[in-house]
Amino acid sequence: MKMGKPGWVNETAMVNAEFLHKLLSEHRLPLSNEKALQAAIGAILASNGIKHDREVRLSNKDCIDFIVGNVGMEAKLKGSAVDIYKQCKRYCGYPEVKELLIVTNRSMGLP
């Protein structure tokens, strides 16, 4: 079954970072504006029946763009590789985030 078919996912237990990566890869995402990217991701999740929370406050300092089950998702179009790494490392330290998917227009490696 094609992942882009609306409404076919209703169990967040089925959803992991690999699944979300494949789902988002089926779509052309706006990569010049972070708010537009976040809106597009939210629309894709909603149209596929995937339960998700937006702008989840993890602490006084950290607010992640999406939580889908135990997968954190962050749209990141600006910032240095070091800053993005530090943000990812912080997010991975929260119990709500078992997996992390960064949606970006940058090619970068992380340790």
Side-chain angles (χ1 to χ4, degrees):
M1 189 175 294
K2 186 173 178 353
M3 286 187 199
K5 186 173 180 182
W8 79 277
V9 174
N10 56 18
E11 294 293 327
T12 52
M14 297 170 50
V15 178
N16 61 25
E18 181 180 1
F19 172 87
L20 292 169
H21 174 261
K22 288 178 183 177
L23 175 65
L24 294 178
S25 295
E26 293 183 350
H27 299 273
R28 189 170 187 92
L29 297 170
L31 296 175
S32 60
N33 178 289
E34 203 165 284
K35 292 296 178 192
L37 175 57
Q38 292 169 353
I41 293 168
I44 291 166
L45 295 174
S47 71
N48 282 277
I50 298 173
K51 294 180 190 177
H52 62 282
D53 294 309
R54 283 276 290 124
E55 299 294 330
V56 176
R57 176 82 36 206
L58 299 171
S59 71
N60 288 339
K61 182 179 181 180
D62 291 318
C63 182
I64 195 163
D65 293 333
F66 297 90
I67 292 284
V68 181
N70 61 7
V71 180
M73 295 176 62
E74 181 72 11
K76 189 53 69 182
L77 300 181
K78 295 183 181 177
S80 72
V82 171
D83 289 341
I84 294 170
Y85 170 73
K86 288 178 182 178
Q87 186 177 23
C88 291
K89 188 175 178 181
R90 285 195 318 270
Y91 287 172
C92 288
Y94 292 101
E96 298 92 328
V97 179
K98 301 290 184 216
E99 295 182 280
L100 181 64
L101 180 64
I102 304 298
V103 182
T104 186
N105 58 355
R106 299 183 55 135
S107 175
M108 59 185 279
L110 297 174

